[in-house]
């Protein structure tokens, strides 16, 4: 069993939550979302994020709008819908519970 596979699966498991969290305060386009994930050491490629954004949009959690760009083609900005905001609130609760449970099991203290 390769550790890289397990690490990749762990990252994939929280990617939706991270994307929704990135969009909680402001709309963003894909390059901004990818940059935020990259800065956080979440290794994600465009081929992963586009299908995920489409799935979140189709689930009613995200909306999008086109905006003209001064430096190229129009950009597609994603934002949370009201349903997405409620969904993220539930995920925040679940994440905190899961984090506490994992910390208890692994005997790590919350930072």
């Amino acid at each position: 069993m390769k550790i890289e596979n397990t690490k990749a699966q762990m990252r994939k498991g929280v990617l939706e939550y991270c994307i929704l969290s990135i969009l909680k305060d402001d709309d963003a386009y894909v390059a901004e979302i990818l940059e935020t994930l990259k800065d956080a050491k979440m290794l994600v490629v465009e081929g992963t994020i586009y299908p995920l954004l489409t799935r979140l949009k189709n689930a009613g959690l995200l909306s999008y709008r086109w905006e003209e760009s001064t430096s190229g083609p129009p950009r597609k900005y994603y934002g949370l819908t009201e349903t997405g905001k409620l969904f993220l609130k539930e995920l925040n609760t679940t994440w905190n519970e899961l984090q506490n449970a994992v910390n208890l099991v692994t005997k790590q203290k919350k930072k």
Side-chain angles (χ1 to χ4, degrees), residues 3 10 17 33 50 55-56 62 81 84 86-87 107:
I3 188 68
M10 291 173 78
Y17 178 50
I33 295 168
Y50 282 108
R55 192 167 68 245
L56 293 170
L62 297 181
T81 62
L86 293 171
F87 192 83
K107 310 284 191 264

Side-chain angles (χ1 to χ4, degrees), residues 34-88:
L34 284 169
E35 187 67 26
T36 302
L37 292 168
K38 181 180 151 194
D39 289 347
K41 307 289 190 259
M42 292 282 293
L43 307 175
V44 180
V45 294
E46 285 186 35
T48 300
I49 200 162
Y50 282 108
L52 181 52
L53 290 170
T54 298
R55 192 167 68 245
L56 293 170
K57 180 189 70 69
N58 290 343
L61 304 178
L62 297 181
S63 62
Y64 68 86
R65 63 182 164 75
W66 288 98
E67 192 171 298
E68 290 298 322
S69 170
T70 57
S71 61
R75 293 176 175 165
K76 191 183 218 180
Y77 281 80
Y78 289 88
L80 291 182
T81 62
E82 285 305 312
T83 302
K85 290 175 185 176
L86 293 171
F87 192 83
L88 178 57

